[in-house]
Amino acid sequence: MSENAHANWAYADAFIAEDDTLIAARATAKELGCVPIFPGGGTVLSVLAAAVDARHVCEIGSGAGISAVYLLRGMNPEGTLTSIDTRAENQHAALATVNEYGIPAERLRMITGAALEVLPRLADEAYDLVFVDAVKSEYPDYVAHAIRLLRPGGLIVCDNMLWHSRVADPTQRDPDTTGIRETLKILRTDERLVSTLLPAADGLSVSVKRR
Ligand SMILES: C[S@@+](CC[C@H](N)C(=O)[O-])C[C@H]1O[C@@H](n2cnc3c(N)ncnc32)[C@H](O)[C@@H]1O
């Protein structure tokens, strides 16, 4: 590992600077007590959504809408983002963030509720990309739903897969950290998926559902 790893990481994270709207949305997220995806992770979302020309994306964890903006930027201009969150207050903030970009309201479908109650109601093989960013200990269950929701060739992207350096530290055994380790094992071993773990941001896993 390079001695400059941290400097390289910071350089890559700042590769595409955020505008004032996203900077303001980050301040709102902080007030709401939720931690948005890092800028470098956000650009990965845009690239992946563009790569599959995503028309139907499911996001688990709306927050204040930072990841929604990155996803919508990369998606097909007619694509729809379904975003799930337990907190209506967060979803109002997310809608306000997206509205700032003049994105038509019908492109963002907000569903308020617990992900594990909402996901079973979503259609099989109807999504091009599922982005996972809510309760870390529930990630294994989110991934099980994501595999069902994705069309063949679709993508699962999970944030915080290094969980603030805890995942790589075997002495950390809290439920969130062990939930992420369990998720990584599923992503690595499930034969329906081809997966990688990017050290971007706080760790982003990317998996393709085989055709
Ligand atoms: C890390 S934040 C999401 C940040 C957002 N993806 C972004 O990058 O801008 C996690 C969100 O998950 C929501 N959340 C917590 N428990 C949840 C659950 N059981 N189901 C769905 N969302 C939940 C929180 O209210 C919070 O808004």
Side-chain angles (χ1 to χ4, degrees):
M1 179 68 71
S2 152
E3 282 178 19
N4 293 328
H6 186 76
N8 286 342
W9 176 87
Y11 185 84
D13 202 50
F15 170 56
I16 297 178
E18 292 192 328
D19 59 20
D20 290 345
T21 301
L22 278 181
I23 291 167
R26 286 187 184 279
T28 303
K30 194 169 184 184
E31 284 165 21
L32 291 169
C34 71
V35 181
I37 192 159
F38 285 35
T43 60
V44 172
L45 293 181
S46 298
V47 167
L48 293 176
V52 296
D53 190 29
R55 287 177 175 270
H56 300 285
V57 173
C58 174
E59 169 181 69
I60 306 170
S62 319
I66 288 97
S67 52
V69 168
Y70 281 108
L71 286 164
L72 287 160
R73 273 183 185 167
M75 289 166 63
N76 182 286
E78 293 176 4
T80 306
L81 174 63
T82 299
S83 187
I84 304 166
D85 203 294
T86 40
R87 293 180 65 189
E89 189 188 7
N90 293 11
Q91 292 186 313
H92 287 139
L95 267 174
T97 301
V98 168
N99 284 345
E100 286 281 325
Y101 291 94
I103 296 169
E106 60 269 23
R107 291 194 60 203
L108 187 53
R109 175 171 70 138
M110 291 294 192
I111 303 180
T112 310
L116 293 181
E117 289 172 16
V118 174
L119 288 167
R121 307 203 303 259
L122 303 185
D124 292 3
E125 300 206 350
Y127 293 85
D128 304 299
L129 191 157
V130 176
F131 174 53
V132 173
D133 193 16
V135 181
K136 308 309 159 191
S137 59
E138 294 183 356
Y139 272 28
D141 297 317
Y142 299 160
V143 165
H145 281 288
I147 294 170
R148 178 183 61 78
L149 297 178
L150 283 177
R151 61 148 169 98
L155 301 173
I156 307 171
V157 186
C158 303
D159 194 19
N160 304 113
M161 298 305 272
L162 295 173
W163 198 225
H164 313 294
S165 306
R166 297 174 78 84
V167 170
D169 176 354
T171 65
Q172 304 297 330
R173 297 184 172 276
D174 60 278
D176 288 339
T177 305
T178 54
I180 291 173
R181 284 198 199 107
E182 189 187 335
T183 309
L184 285 166
K185 187 175 175 191
I186 294 165
L187 297 176
R188 197 165 50 227
T189 56
D190 192 311
E191 293 190 349
R192 294 169 293 179
L193 302 175
V194 180
S195 297
T196 187
L197 174 58
L198 304 178
D202 189 30
L204 274 181
S205 65
V206 182
S207 307
V208 184
K209 180 174 168 180
R210 289 183 191 273
R211 291 174 192 277

